[in-house]
Amino acid sequence: MPTTVTTAGVPVSAPWEELLTSALLGTGRRPLRAEDGAVVGPAALLGAAAVHTVRRRAALRPASGAALPVPAPADPRPPLPAAARRRLAQLLADRSAPPDGGRRGAAPDLTELIPQWLASAGAHGYRAPAELLPALLDAARARTDLRPHVLAFAGPRGLWLAALNPEWRFALRAASRGAQRPGTADPEAVRLLWDEGLFAERVALLGAVRDQDPGAARALLATTWSTERAEDRLMFLDSLRSGLTAADEAFLEEALTDRSRNVRSTAAELLSALPDSALARRMAARATSCVNPDRSGGAVSVAVEAPHECDAAMQRDGVVPVPPSGRGERSWWLGQLVEATPLGVWRERFGGRTADELVILPVADGWAGELHAAWCRAAVRQRDPDWARALLGVPSAPLANGPGTASLAERSQLLAILPAAERALWVAGFIAAHGLSEAFQLLGVCSVPWDVPLGRSVVDALDIARDAGSYPWSFSGVMGLAERCLNPAEGDRLAVLTTTPDEPADASPGAGDYWSEAFQRLVSTLRLRAAMDAELAQDGTG
């Protein structure tokens, strides 16, 4: 098959047999011609024969070359310091190492440090090294929790590279969901994008308009509301959470009649977060007909008479009529009414009593658990720190005798409302009083790195468990959290815990060695995290 080969600057088109004949007879006796008909010399012949030989050995048919991709976009962010670049390469290489299983040993788990490293690098504003982009994208493909940090760190070059490999297409999808918000200065461009844009673009646009002009965002949404799909209406409605005000009430009231149950439920939830809305007043009227002060006998208590039906008006306001399996109808309806009632209503209903005073009132007929659980949900929905503190109570209170809730899930949600420092102090007090067995879920809502009182409370509780000969694997989850969340500056102070303690007679066999190993790993990890932070703080690229 003839093919064109450019050799010595001359395009030559000839089949293999013709090249072979010219080589055997000589170009003087059997001249070889270029595409323009000119006779070429021996150098051009040998060049064309060399290219043909390689192709024949590779069993590759001649073909037109593929178009080169457009160059990668520039990334103006500063490069990583050299030490930090080497550290990232080490972390990514360890990620791809095969797991050996079994005992973890005293060495830090480098794979668990990748998210923290990426977050710190992002905070410093560095760009990713080009040679490590493939490994970063592979890591993000394998672990969805890494994707936000990886994509932010990889920047425009990472997206450019992801477009060239089908295995990295997740990056393009994630980038479209987290795309920068479009401009809103040109009304015609806004309307065109709203009418013709992709769903992710429209969500971003609605959020951008909402930030600039909430009324314009509502008006934009209203233009296509009736023709949107139910799942899209739900996402668009959710965007109204940002900057929710009384001006949104009329639109949300109309959404209460939507044909989608999820849309109706979200509209009712948003309206209940507006304490002066008509829905909040309607729910308050229903709830206060069920929950009232009882002054019989002198002392005030809480009397509860749950609803006997869920009528059409209640359902329109977001009350779900059918309870989950195993749940009674009346308690299910009562909980929804109380949850949607502004918390300030109860202060008025009970003679000006504060949240602290209300949650300790006795509740008649065994309704305390249901009422307090509904108050917890209301406090979370309305982001009320005073009610959150009241329902949490003091952290040292017995778990079953707290003033509001013994549920760790509810306590975690309530804690999330409080400022970070107050949250950490409460959890530290809880651990000091109750140990670590019940604290794992609560630790998950604390800011990282842990404040010093919280970190020391966790370490002290681990040390107590070790001295008591407790089964060490029961605390592996908390120990893993400590490795990631303790302040790295605590590493040197904790070195004293790495020695192997004397085991009590009733201790688990080998527990002392395991505890020593776990504390060695903790200290090594903290020191490594401190080194990583120092490397990222360096100036220059080395």
Side-chain angles (χ1 to χ4, degrees):
M1 177 181 292
T3 185
T4 299
V5 176
T6 300
T7 178
V10 179
V12 177
S13 178
W16 171 256
E17 292 78 9
E18 186 174 333
L19 290 173
L20 184 61
T21 302
S22 293
L24 291 173
L25 298 178
T27 54
R29 295 177 58 189
R30 188 66 175 267
L32 187 68
R33 299 184 180 276
E35 288 187 342
D36 60 2
V39 177
V40 301
L45 166 65
L46 294 175
V51 173
H52 265 288
T53 300
V54 172
R55 286 177 172 170
R56 286 166 62 86
R57 288 178 177 176
L60 183 68
R61 285 182 174 272
S64 301
L68 294 176
V70 297
D75 189 338
R77 295 176 297 177
L80 276 173
R85 187 170 62 249
R86 290 191 294 270
R87 180 73 67 189
L88 175 60
Q90 178 191 15
L91 296 176
L92 293 172
D94 187 81
R95 184 199 70 81
S96 61
D100 55 5
R103 196 159 166 169
R104 286 183 59 193
D109 185 349
L110 299 187
T111 61
E112 291 302 318
L113 296 180
I114 295 176
Q116 292 191 17
W117 191 97
L118 290 169
S120 296
H124 282 85
Y126 293 124
R127 73 168 180 260
E131 69 275 14
L132 294 179
L133 285 173
L136 281 165
L137 290 169
D138 278 341
R141 180 169 65 92
R143 287 180 55 177
T144 56
D145 64 307
L146 293 180
R147 291 180 183 180
H149 288 311
V150 165
L151 295 179
F153 183 51
R157 289 183 175 180
L159 294 179
W160 172 85
L161 189 61
L164 303 177
N165 186 342
E167 292 186 348
W168 298 331
R169 291 297 169 88
F170 71 87
L172 306 181
R173 294 192 297 269
S176 68
R177 289 193 297 269
Q180 292 185 348
R181 291 188 170 184
T184 59
D186 185 349
E188 292 185 5
V190 167
R191 187 52 196 259
L192 181 64
L193 182 58
W194 179 252
D195 289 339
E196 301 181 5
L198 300 174
F199 176 68
E201 295 173 327
R202 300 178 72 214
V203 171
L205 175 66
L206 187 63
V209 176
R210 177 78 173 174
D211 289 343
Q212 296 294 322
D213 186 346
R218 287 193 308 274
L220 185 66
L221 183 55
T223 60
T224 59
W225 178 259
S226 61
T227 60
E228 302 286 358
R229 299 183 306 166
E231 55 267 35
D232 294 351
R233 293 199 304 278
L234 183 62
M235 289 291 292
F236 291 142
L237 193 64
D238 201 60
S239 70
L240 299 185
R241 293 182 190 276
S242 175
L244 183 68
T245 67
D248 299 311
E249 182 179 359
F251 185 88
L252 294 172
E253 274 284 344
E254 290 186 13
L256 289 176
T257 61
D258 195 271
R259 56 187 180 274
S260 165
R261 187 181 71 178
N262 289 333
V263 171
R264 295 195 303 270
S265 177
T266 300
E269 179 186 346
L270 293 174
L271 283 167
S272 69
L274 296 172
D276 295 326
S277 68
L279 179 136
R281 293 194 297 272
R282 293 193 298 269
M283 298 300 265
R286 296 177 181 121
T288 52
S289 70
C290 299
V291 180
N292 288 285
D294 182 358
R295 296 181 174 83
S296 60
V300 177
S301 62
V302 182
V304 176
E305 179 65 29
H308 290 274
E309 64 173 343
C310 182
D311 58 28
M314 289 170 62
Q315 294 181 44
R316 178 186 179 277
D317 284 347
V319 178
V320 179
V322 180
S325 177
R327 184 80 178 273
E329 284 184 333
R330 296 182 65 200
S331 64
W332 172 245
W333 300 331
L334 174 71
Q336 294 179 79
L337 296 180
V338 174
E339 177 183 355
T341 297
L343 289 164
V345 165
W346 304 112
R347 185 183 184 101
E348 300 172 4
R349 194 68 172 174
F350 283 80
R353 284 177 170 81
T354 64
D356 290 307
E357 294 168 330
L358 283 166
V359 299
I360 61 174
L361 289 177
V363 182
D365 302 324
W367 285 103
E370 186 65 50
L371 180 62
H372 289 169
W375 277 342
C376 284
R377 296 192 298 274
V380 171
R381 179 183 292 190
Q382 298 170 39
R383 311 298 297 174
D384 192 310
D386 290 334
W387 272 86
R389 294 184 187 100
L391 290 161
L392 283 167
V394 294
S396 59
L399 293 177
N401 298 324
T405 177
S407 164
L408 292 175
E410 290 173 353
R411 290 186 177 198
S412 297
Q413 293 176 326
L414 293 170
L415 280 168
I417 301 171
L418 303 181
E422 183 179 356
R423 195 185 316 161
L425 279 175
W426 196 96
V427 177
F430 181 92
I431 292 170
H434 307 293
L436 290 168
S437 59
E438 304 288 345
F440 188 83
Q441 193 168 359
L442 304 179
L443 287 168
V445 299
C446 293
S447 299
V448 177
W450 290 336
D451 288 354
V452 171
L454 175 58
R456 295 191 175 179
S457 178
V458 170
V459 172
D460 288 345
L462 288 169
D463 193 23
I464 291 170
R466 178 186 69 162
D467 290 343
S470 299
Y471 194 63
W473 302 277
S474 301
F475 299 90
S476 60
V478 174
M479 188 66 79
L481 270 181
E483 292 171 17
R484 299 188 296 274
C485 301
L486 274 173
N487 192 317
E490 295 284 288
D492 291 338
R493 189 184 71 85
L494 301 181
V496 67
L497 300 175
T498 60
T499 58
T500 303
D502 295 331
E503 294 185 5
D506 57 348
S508 302
D513 289 336
Y514 271 86
W515 277 112
S516 175
E517 192 175 80
F519 277 115
Q520 290 175 36
R521 184 172 60 250
L522 173 61
V523 171
S524 298
T525 302
L526 294 177
R527 287 173 173 169
L528 178 56
R529 286 175 53 207
M532 286 165 40
D533 289 343
E535 292 162 358
L536 286 166
Q538 291 177 6
D539 293 327
T541 59

